[in-house]
Amino acid sequence: MAPTSYQAPMRGDKEEKTTYSQTTGSNLAQSKTAVSKLLEGKGDDVFSVRPNETIHSVVNILKEKRIGAVLVTDQNGALQGILSERDIVRRMADTPGQTLPQSVEDLMTKEVKTCTTDDLLNDVLKTMTEGRFRHMPVLRDGKLCGVITIGDVVHFRLKELEYEALRMKQMIVG
Protein backbone atom coordinates (compact mmCIF):
# COMPACT_ATOMS: atom_id res chain seq x y z
CA MET A 1 0.00 0.00 0.00
CA ALA A 2 1.32 3.47 -0.92
CA PRO A 3 2.02 5.99 1.83
CA THR A 4 -0.80 8.44 2.43
CA SER A 5 1.33 11.42 1.34
CA TYR A 6 1.75 9.95 -2.16
CA GLN A 7 -0.50 11.18 -4.94
CA ALA A 8 -0.40 9.59 -8.35
CA PRO A 9 0.25 12.03 -11.21
CA MET A 10 -2.94 13.39 -12.71
CA ARG A 11 -3.61 14.43 -16.27
CA GLY A 12 -2.97 18.16 -16.61
CA ASP A 13 -0.43 18.35 -13.75
CA LYS A 14 2.22 19.68 -16.11
CA GLU A 15 0.13 21.88 -18.38
CA GLU A 16 2.00 25.01 -17.29
CA LYS A 17 5.38 23.63 -18.33
CA THR A 18 6.37 23.47 -21.98
CA THR A 19 9.17 21.28 -23.24
CA TYR A 20 11.25 21.91 -26.33
CA SER A 21 12.65 18.48 -26.99
CA GLN A 22 13.52 17.36 -30.48
CA THR A 23 10.90 15.59 -32.50
CA THR A 24 11.14 13.40 -35.54
CA GLY A 25 9.76 16.35 -37.48
CA SER A 26 12.41 18.78 -36.27
CA ASN A 27 15.23 16.30 -36.76
CA LEU A 28 14.22 15.46 -40.31
CA ALA A 29 13.08 18.96 -41.30
CA GLN A 30 14.46 20.13 -44.60
CA SER A 31 16.88 23.00 -44.31
CA LYS A 32 15.70 25.98 -46.33
CA THR A 33 19.22 27.37 -46.58
CA ALA A 34 20.39 28.26 -50.08
CA VAL A 35 23.84 27.77 -51.60
CA SER A 36 24.32 31.56 -51.57
CA LYS A 37 24.41 31.50 -47.74
CA LEU A 38 27.24 28.95 -47.76
CA LEU A 39 29.20 30.98 -50.33
CA GLU A 40 28.85 34.12 -48.16
CA GLY A 41 31.07 32.49 -45.54
CA LYS A 42 33.27 30.40 -47.83
CA GLY A 43 33.98 32.91 -50.54
CA ASP A 44 33.77 32.63 -54.28
CA ASP A 45 37.28 31.50 -55.23
CA VAL A 46 37.30 29.44 -58.41
CA PHE A 47 40.49 27.72 -59.54
CA SER A 48 40.37 26.88 -63.20
CA VAL A 49 42.61 25.59 -65.96
CA ARG A 50 42.33 25.37 -69.73
CA PRO A 51 41.63 22.08 -71.55
CA ASN A 52 45.06 22.06 -73.27
CA GLU A 53 47.07 22.30 -70.03
CA THR A 54 48.94 19.25 -68.75
CA ILE A 55 48.03 17.05 -65.82
CA HIS A 56 51.41 17.99 -64.35
CA SER A 57 50.36 21.65 -64.11
CA VAL A 58 47.05 20.66 -62.52
CA VAL A 59 48.79 18.48 -59.92
CA ASN A 60 50.91 21.48 -58.93
CA ILE A 61 47.81 23.71 -58.60
CA LEU A 62 45.98 21.10 -56.50
CA LYS A 63 49.00 20.83 -54.20
CA GLU A 64 49.65 24.58 -53.98
CA LYS A 65 46.04 25.57 -53.34
CA ARG A 66 45.30 22.51 -51.19
CA ILE A 67 42.16 21.71 -53.18
CA GLY A 68 40.72 18.49 -54.58
CA ALA A 69 39.54 19.61 -58.02
CA VAL A 70 39.85 22.34 -60.62
CA LEU A 71 37.29 23.59 -63.07
CA VAL A 72 38.13 23.54 -66.74
CA THR A 73 37.08 26.70 -68.56
CA ASP A 74 37.54 28.23 -71.99
CA GLN A 75 39.16 31.64 -72.57
CA ASN A 76 35.83 33.34 -71.79
CA GLY A 77 35.44 31.57 -68.45
CA ALA A 78 32.68 29.23 -69.64
CA LEU A 79 32.65 25.84 -67.91
CA GLN A 80 34.02 23.02 -70.07
CA GLY A 81 34.58 20.34 -67.43
CA ILE A 82 36.00 19.42 -64.04
CA LEU A 83 39.10 17.47 -63.07
CA SER A 84 39.56 15.95 -59.62
CA GLU A 85 42.32 14.17 -57.75
CA ARG A 86 40.35 10.96 -58.18
CA ASP A 87 40.35 11.36 -61.96
CA ILE A 88 44.12 11.78 -61.95
CA VAL A 89 44.77 8.84 -59.61
CA ARG A 90 42.59 6.54 -61.71
CA ARG A 91 44.45 7.54 -64.88
CA MET A 92 47.79 7.01 -63.14
CA ALA A 93 46.72 3.43 -62.43
CA ASP A 94 45.83 2.96 -66.11
CA THR A 95 48.90 4.70 -67.56
CA PRO A 96 51.71 4.44 -65.00
CA GLY A 97 54.55 6.88 -65.64
CA GLN A 98 52.70 8.44 -68.59
CA THR A 99 49.96 10.48 -66.92
CA LEU A 100 51.58 13.84 -66.11
CA PRO A 101 52.23 14.91 -69.73
CA GLN A 102 48.63 14.12 -70.79
CA SER A 103 46.20 16.98 -71.40
CA VAL A 104 43.41 18.04 -69.07
CA GLU A 105 40.93 17.59 -71.90
CA ASP A 106 41.70 13.86 -72.03
CA LEU A 107 40.90 13.27 -68.35
CA MET A 108 38.28 15.84 -67.39
CA THR A 109 34.64 15.05 -66.76
CA LYS A 110 32.81 16.90 -69.52
CA GLU A 111 29.24 16.56 -68.29
CA VAL A 112 29.39 18.50 -65.04
CA LYS A 113 26.52 18.75 -62.59
CA THR A 114 26.13 22.33 -61.40
CA CYS A 115 23.93 24.18 -58.97
CA THR A 116 22.78 27.76 -58.63
CA THR A 117 23.06 30.14 -55.71
CA ASP A 118 19.30 29.70 -55.15
CA ASP A 119 19.41 25.90 -54.82
CA LEU A 120 18.83 24.45 -51.35
CA LEU A 121 21.83 22.87 -49.63
CA ASN A 122 19.94 19.67 -48.85
CA ASP A 123 19.10 19.23 -52.54
CA VAL A 124 22.73 19.82 -53.53
CA LEU A 125 23.92 17.35 -50.88
CA LYS A 126 21.51 14.74 -52.20
CA THR A 127 22.69 15.26 -55.80
CA MET A 128 26.35 14.98 -54.77
CA THR A 129 25.73 11.87 -52.67
CA GLU A 130 23.71 10.11 -55.36
CA GLY A 131 26.20 11.09 -58.09
CA ARG A 132 29.16 10.08 -55.92
CA PHE A 133 31.14 13.26 -56.50
CA ARG A 134 32.49 15.81 -54.07
CA HIS A 135 32.80 19.10 -55.97
CA MET A 136 30.04 21.14 -57.59
CA PRO A 137 30.42 24.38 -59.53
CA VAL A 138 27.96 27.13 -58.61
CA LEU A 139 26.35 29.33 -61.25
CA ARG A 140 24.73 32.74 -60.90
CA ASP A 141 22.96 34.05 -64.00
CA GLY A 142 24.65 31.28 -66.01
CA LYS A 143 28.18 32.30 -64.97
CA LEU A 144 30.57 30.56 -62.58
CA CYS A 145 30.58 32.19 -59.17
CA GLY A 146 32.05 29.51 -56.91
CA VAL A 147 32.60 25.86 -56.10
CA ILE A 148 31.22 23.97 -53.14
CA THR A 149 32.32 20.63 -51.80
CA ILE A 150 30.33 17.97 -50.02
CA GLY A 151 32.48 18.78 -46.97
CA ASP A 152 31.44 22.44 -47.16
CA VAL A 153 27.76 21.47 -47.20
CA VAL A 154 28.05 18.97 -44.34
CA HIS A 155 30.10 21.40 -42.22
CA PHE A 156 27.64 24.24 -42.85
CA ARG A 157 24.65 22.04 -42.02
CA LEU A 158 26.30 20.84 -38.78
CA LYS A 159 26.86 24.47 -37.75
CA GLU A 160 23.18 25.16 -38.46
CA LEU A 161 22.13 22.23 -36.28
CA GLU A 162 24.49 23.32 -33.47
CA TYR A 163 23.00 26.82 -33.60
CA GLU A 164 19.44 25.43 -33.53
CA ALA A 165 20.31 23.22 -30.54
CA LEU A 166 21.85 26.19 -28.71
CA ARG A 167 18.73 28.29 -29.36
CA MET A 168 16.51 25.51 -28.04
CA LYS A 169 18.68 25.15 -24.95
CA GLN A 170 18.45 28.90 -24.31
CA MET A 171 14.66 28.72 -24.63
CA ILE A 172 14.52 25.98 -22.00
CA VAL A 173 16.88 27.68 -19.57
CA GLY A 174 15.70 31.25 -20.21
Side-chain angles (χ1 to χ4, degrees):
M1 191 171 228
T4 56
S5 63
Y6 172 79
Q7 264 190 335
M10 304 274 302
R11 182 176 291 210
D13 278 354
K14 295 182 180 182
E15 279 183 28
E16 301 290 320
K17 297 178 183 177
T18 306
T19 62
Y20 297 94
S21 63
Q22 296 178 347
T23 65
T24 304
S26 69
N27 287 339
L28 300 177
Q30 292 292 316
S31 170
K32 301 295 181 201
T33 306
V35 170
S36 58
K37 191 76 174 163
L38 188 153
L39 284 179
E40 282 175 22
K42 178 185 179 180
D44 56 3
D45 289 341
V46 175
F47 298 103
S48 64
V49 297
R50 301 281 179 266
N52 60 346
E53 290 188 45
T54 65
I55 299 306
H56 187 265
S57 66
V58 171
V59 168
N60 286 329
I61 292 169
L62 295 173
K63 178 185 167 204
E64 236 174 71
K65 303 296 183 188
R66 302 186 72 187
I67 56 176
V70 292
L71 300 182
V72 184
T73 58
D74 65 15
Q75 63 276 8
N76 300 319
L79 184 64
Q80 302 294 303
I82 191 168
L83 183 62
S84 72
E85 293 169 322
R86 281 183 180 179
D87 298 327
I88 295 168
V89 168
R90 286 181 180 137
R91 180 59 66 101
M92 289 176 95
D94 293 341
T95 60
Q98 302 168 14
T99 306
L100 295 180
Q102 294 179 36
S103 74
V104 167
E105 193 170 33
D106 293 336
L107 270 77
M108 70 181 191
T109 300
K110 293 178 178 138
E111 296 198 19
V112 183
K113 295 265 189 195
T114 62
C115 63
T116 70
T117 53
D118 296 328
D119 287 338
L120 298 180
L121 288 178
N122 281 352
D123 294 340
V124 171
L125 184 60
K126 182 178 179 188
T127 300
M128 293 171 95
T129 302
E130 288 173 356
R132 299 182 54 115
F133 56 90
R134 297 181 288 171
H135 300 83
M136 185 179 273
V138 183
L139 304 176
R140 181 184 297 122
D141 300 323
K143 296 190 186 292
L144 281 172
C145 67
V147 176
I148 59 174
T149 68
I150 200 162
D152 295 333
V153 178
V154 169
H155 180 73
F156 187 89
R157 186 65 181 127
L158 285 174
K159 289 289 181 197
E160 269 187 331
L161 291 171
E162 285 174 10
Y163 176 73
E164 289 171 18
L166 181 62
R167 271 194 14 229
M168 291 175 81
K169 188 175 183 181
Q170 289 172 342
M171 290 171 65
I172 293 169
V173 174

